[in-house]
Amino acid sequence: MPHGSDPISETYKDNGGCEPGDLRITFVSMAFSLPTPSFALKRDESRWDGLPPLVKAETVFELVWAALSVLLFLFIVFKLFKIRISSTPRGPYILLALVSFTSAISNARYFFRFRKQMELSGFAKFMTASNILGMFAQVFEPAVVLWLTQIRGQAFGSQQPGSSSPIVARTWKRVVDWVLAAVTFIYLVALECSTLSHSLKLFHNFESYQEYQEYQEYFKLLEKLQHLSTVLFLLLSINVVASLFTLWFSQRRARFTDSVVTRLLTTSTPFVLPLVFIWLFFDIWRSETIEANRRANLAYVIIEGVCQVGIIASVISTMDLHADTDPSGYFVVNEAAES
């Protein structure tokens, strides 16, 4: 999520002074890059009618993405029961169903902005769990595309007995793909758990606004550590695009047309590339005010949601393409016309 101004300072000034509990809640929300819960908003913003328009829009979009993710999950499950087991690899699509489900749960967390009765430590732990589910979706969504690319590359290599297998199908490349995804997810989970630990420590020891300064050093370090998570996401996304293009060019040289690879290249790449740019942009950009941060959050939520839903839909569209297979049972292969 975008980096913003110091919400504790802004809350303290805007409210003309507030209780330490309000500051604790606001600080924990900032630590998790989450929407501020209703009981930490200004006094007249604790209900839906009192929310700022940008916060309302952000919440609505998150709930829309949650609903769409549920529909996509149900559609994937339905298609898995309809497709032929002999012609379609189920593993990538089962993982895609998990990605859709965890994305829906993560986006639905915004509903809890209005759960006033939730105790703060419980709120922080719940948000940590939902964040981890969201991280699973973010990391393993591109991993699904890589998995399909590996399968298509292996099948393509089996059709070329006299030549070496494409790079995407080689063992070292498959190991690199999965290690990169696993390392990214483990790092993000470790960072999230560390943030939870320090935020709860702040909650239990916070006595005044001045004591907030003692915790600034940790969150300066956290900001630096988040740069590494951005780098890992960029590597994962670039790996997806490079793998698709590499396999597609290899097939073109061999005068083969793979419907699945072509579909993934033309429909998923346009959604992967914008994610690269927004992650890079928001890792560098800093807002000066809460209002600017709200606008940035809204833009981030819209762009990321469109891209994630687009990638899932792109992969779903390949499920029926496996039905037209060669005798090997896996690979859609049509000899291209002579150029």
Side-chain angles (χ1 to χ4, degrees):
M1 292 289 285
H3 300 281
S5 58
D6 178 355
I8 290 188
S9 300
E10 294 292 340
T11 302
Y12 190 81
K13 291 184 290 185
D14 290 347
N15 288 358
C18 56
E19 297 298 324
D22 295 327
L23 301 178
R24 285 198 297 265
I25 294 167
T26 307
F27 188 78
V28 170
S29 181
M30 177 196 73
F32 290 94
S33 299
L34 295 170
T36 304
S38 62
F39 43 77
L41 293 167
K42 296 180 185 179
R43 303 291 189 232
D44 59 346
E45 295 179 355
S46 60
R47 304 175 71 176
W48 175 260
D49 293 339
L51 286 175
L54 291 173
V55 177
K56 283 184 178 180
E58 182 184 344
T59 304
V60 168
F61 272 106
E62 286 285 356
L63 295 178
V64 167
W65 302 141
L68 287 176
S69 296
V70 170
L71 292 177
L72 291 172
F73 167 75
L74 295 175
F75 185 74
I76 295 168
V77 172
F78 172 77
K79 294 290 289 184
L80 282 172
F81 283 106
K82 299 286 288 184
I83 60 177
R84 285 170 22 200
I85 298 177
S86 60
S87 64
T88 303
R90 286 179 170 251
Y93 299 107
I94 292 174
L95 180 57
L96 184 67
L98 291 175
V99 165
S100 300
F101 184 72
T102 54
S103 178
I105 295 177
S106 178
N107 287 326
R109 72 191 179 191
Y110 277 59
F111 169 76
F112 287 85
R113 182 198 302 272
F114 308 103
R115 298 297 298 273
K116 293 185 181 182
Q117 68 272 26
M118 183 176 285
E119 191 265 333
L120 178 59
S121 61
F123 171 82
K125 292 173 183 177
F126 170 81
M127 287 301 185
T128 297
S130 64
N131 272 3
I132 291 174
L133 291 177
M135 293 168 185
F136 180 90
Q138 284 183 315
V139 171
F140 289 99
E141 185 178 58
V144 170
V145 180
L146 285 172
W147 195 353
L148 281 173
T149 305
Q150 294 167 6
I151 292 173
R152 307 307 287 183
Q154 287 177 309
F156 173 66
S158 68
Q159 299 292 319
Q160 306 291 316
S163 59
S164 59
S165 60
I167 293 177
V168 296
R170 296 177 186 176
T171 302
W172 68 266
K173 177 61 167 60
R174 299 200 305 272
V175 171
V176 169
D177 291 344
W178 288 109
V179 167
L180 178 59
V183 167
T184 302
F185 182 65
I186 292 171
Y187 177 79
L188 291 174
V189 170
L191 197 61
E192 190 73 15
C193 292
S194 174
T195 302
L196 172 65
S197 174
H198 283 78
S199 297
L200 292 180
K201 179 181 178 182
L202 171 65
F203 169 67
H204 291 299
N205 294 283
F206 200 106
E207 297 298 337
S208 67
Y209 172 70
Q210 286 72 22
E211 291 189 22
Y212 155 67
Q213 307 297 330
E214 299 176 9
Y215 296 88
Q216 281 187 323
E217 290 302 318
Y218 168 73
F219 286 98
K220 287 180 181 178
L221 174 62
L222 177 64
E223 190 174 69
K224 295 177 181 178
L225 294 175
Q226 286 173 338
H227 293 318
L228 179 56
S229 66
T230 300
V231 171
L232 292 172
F233 271 125
L234 292 178
L235 290 175
L236 196 59
S237 300
I238 292 171
N239 187 26
V240 170
V241 176
S243 297
L244 283 172
F245 270 105
T246 300
L247 181 56
W248 184 78
F249 279 120
S250 297
Q251 292 172 344
R252 291 287 291 177
R253 286 197 302 268
R255 295 175 182 170
F256 277 85
T257 300
D258 183 346
S259 301
V260 174
V261 172
T262 302
R263 178 68 60 82
L264 288 174
L265 183 63
T266 56
T267 59
S268 66
T269 302
F271 293 109
V272 173
L273 292 177
L275 286 176
V276 173
F277 289 116
I278 64 168
W279 285 330
L280 187 59
F281 174 79
F282 284 119
D283 189 65
I284 299 172
W285 179 81
R286 297 292 183 274
S287 65
E288 298 297 330
T289 64
I290 282 184
E291 189 67 17
N293 195 50
R294 284 171 175 169
R295 288 194 294 268
N297 284 342
L298 177 59
Y300 182 92
V301 165
I302 293 173
I303 296 172
E304 186 187 45
V306 168
C307 292
Q308 287 189 334
V309 170
I311 294 172
I312 293 173
S314 168
V315 178
I316 290 175
S317 70
T318 66
M319 296 180 76
D320 291 327
L321 298 180
H322 296 270
D324 181 22
T325 59
D326 64 35
S328 67
Y330 251 116
F331 191 57
V332 180
V333 52
N334 299 307
E335 190 170 354
E338 292 285 340
S339 56

